[in-house]
Amino acid sequence: MPFNQLKQQYSTCDKCEELCNNRTQVVFGAGNKEADVLLLGEAPGASEDKQGIPFCGMSGKILNELLDSAGLSREDIFITNTVLCRPPENRNPSKLEIENCRDRLDKLISIMQPKVIVTIGNFATERIIGKTGIKTIHGQLFDFKEGIQVVPVVHPASYLYSGRNPDLLKQMQDDFKTIAEVVNAKVKQKNLSDFSVGLSE
Ligand code: URA
């Protein structure tokens, strides 16, 4: 299924009654759909629900700074969330809501075929690799299917809740450097294998 068809299909999704009744719009995702990196957040907040763009509020500002500190930009990535619609009062997404959005995310991953998935916070991390405990596993590499590597990171909202703890910021910057290194290594690997296929043709 092409990307635009998936996006179109979910623009009117009505699987989660409460989210559907409270949302301004479905926030499908933003960025470069050809990117090697897929960032997965938790759920749209108030700004995202209004503007239709993931991570466009305060957390998004921190995320942009972290990307920038690692030499990455929004053009290098595609961002979406574990659930596409804002939970009222920014409550956590429920298990059922995450399940209702499962097929959509699986399809997105198989269309995009990213080389790296960055899971932001516990909900996204659990959704992809079945693990929680982000404070312990952040910045580590996990194998997912089809050679995709997963790097969990602490949610920028946690940094805001910490009162902008400088040690936490440093840790998050280090994790984003790890992400950039993994992406660069994967791209190099791909270029080398394309080159050797070219030679054998
Ligand atoms: N937090 C998220 O997890 N996702 C967003 O899109 C915005 C804030």
Side-chain angles (χ1 to χ4, degrees), residues 44 47 85-86 110 116 125 152 172 182:
S47 310
C85 303
R86 182 191 181 207
S110 68
V116 179
T125 305
M172 293 167 89
V182 174

Side-chain angles (χ1 to χ4, degrees), residues 119-131 134 137 152-153:
T119 54
I120 306 176
N122 269 323
F123 284 89
T125 305
E126 186 169 19
R127 167 63 180 83
I128 297 295
I129 56 169
K131 290 183 195 295
I134 194 70
I137 63 173
V153 295

Side-chain angles (χ1 to χ4, degrees), residues 27 40-45 48 53-57 59-60 79-81 120 155 157:
V27 184
L40 182 66
E42 182 179 315
E48 289 76 21
I53 301 167
F55 284 95
C56 65
S59 288
I79 313 184
T80 188
N81 280 300
I120 306 176
H155 199 293

